[in-house]
Amino acid sequence: NAGVTQTPKFQVLKTGQSMTLQCAQDMNHEYMSWYRQDPGMGLRLIHYSVGAGITDQGEVPNGYNVSRSTTEDFPLRLLSAAPSQTSVYFCASSYSIWAAEKLFFGSGTQLSVL
Amino acid sequence: DAKTTQPNSMESNEEEPVHLPCNHSTISGTDYIHWYRQLPSQGPEYVIHGLTSNVNNRMASLAIAEDRKSSTLILHRATLRDAAVYYCILSGSGNTGKLIFGQGTTLQVKP
């Protein structure tokens, strides 16, 4: 198993550009989520999904869109990038949303918006 | 949502035990206590979790207070590779799907 795979690892955007951060998992996990981590800070939840076709907002959803058309993939879209979205983005997944399930994280995407 | 409180930073000497505390005074009866750690420039990784009883695994031990209002992650012999940010989070019916990571405790391990 590859686990949780995020692409790209690094990305530089200009203000106003759009892009999609990719996240895929090969563990047949129902639950997937996106976090952002700003320098010196903890992780903040952006969006999450409890299964294909189901998504919901986390703590900081503004400026981001998600969809979950398959169990394996959970892309994060930035429609019009802003410097405030400069951050490291982590995708995570777990088998279910049962409280005892553990999260598996990807290695992150470092995004800079100029 | 039930929250956790951790010290911002702690120091330890290599090969000595480390006790990382976490307060969660508003924990509900169905909340699990999870610990994750984040090594520099990596994504977080699962360490351990528990509900009421103390738990041990190959990485660490988790000691849960009898009233469940606090817990302690125990690293039995710290190594330089244990230097990381350690997060204590609660997972239960009150925050299903919305696992909230605070700022965690930054652990420094001195040789």
Side-chain angles (χ1 to χ4, degrees):
Chain A
N1 287 348
V4 179
T5 303
Q6 291 184 236
T7 56
K9 292 191 182 302
F10 302 94
Q11 183 70 49
V12 179
L13 292 178
K14 294 181 179 178
T15 297
Q17 285 185 317
S18 63
M19 81 158 295
T20 299
L21 306 186
Q22 301 292 346
C23 176
Q25 51 86 13
D26 60 358
M27 298 174 282
N28 200 30
H29 284 176
E30 287 187 358
Y31 175 86
M32 297 184 74
S33 56
W34 277 101
Y35 289 86
R36 61 175 286 175
Q37 186 172 36
D38 299 327
M41 304 284 288
L43 288 86
R44 291 186 292 170
L45 181 65
I46 305 172
H47 285 285
Y48 66 97
S49 169
V50 299
I54 306 169
T55 64
D56 206 345
Q57 297 181 349
E59 302 171 81
V60 288
N62 292 340
Y64 307 94
N65 279 353
V66 292
S67 61
R68 184 94 180 271
S69 56
T70 67
T71 300
E72 295 78 18
D73 301 299
F74 191 44
L76 178 72
R77 296 184 186 86
L78 285 71
L79 298 178
S80 179
S84 60
Q85 294 178 306
T86 294
S87 190
V88 180
Y89 291 83
F90 291 101
C91 179
S93 73
S94 66
Y95 184 69
S96 75
I97 58 170
W98 181 46
E101 290 290 349
K102 59 184 181 182
L103 283 174
F104 294 81
F105 283 83
S107 56
T109 294
Q110 190 167 320
L111 176 67
S112 294
V113 182
L114 306 177
Chain B
D1 292 341
K3 294 185 178 178
T4 63
T5 303
Q6 300 176 252
N8 287 335
S9 62
M10 292 184 65
E11 288 183 356
S12 172
N13 293 320
E14 196 175 12
E15 298 190 3
E16 290 186 355
V18 181
H19 290 232
L20 297 165
C22 181
N23 287 323
H24 29 77
S25 58
T26 60
I27 190 171
S28 75
T30 57
D31 284 341
Y32 283 79
I33 302 157
H34 289 250
W35 284 82
Y36 287 79
R37 73 178 186 180
Q38 186 174 21
L39 302 172
S41 301
Q42 295 188 25
E45 64 174 345
Y46 167 84
V47 177
I48 200 166
H49 77 277
L51 183 61
T52 57
S53 303
N54 295 344
V55 184
N56 299 299
N57 66 21
R58 64 173 182 83
M59 291 181 70
S61 295
L62 176 60
I64 301 172
E66 198 168 328
D67 63 4
R68 300 208 328 126
K69 294 184 185 300
S70 65
S71 61
T72 302
L73 179 71
I74 302 166
L75 307 179
H76 296 286
R77 288 181 71 235
T79 69
L80 298 178
R81 289 174 295 178
D82 291 322
V85 179
Y86 287 79
Y87 298 98
C88 167
I89 64 174
L90 303 181
S91 176
S93 57
N95 65 340
T96 302
K98 294 185 177 182
L99 298 183
I100 305 299
F101 286 72
Q103 293 199 6
T105 297
T106 299
L107 174 66
Q108 274 190 314
V109 180
K110 296 181 177 179

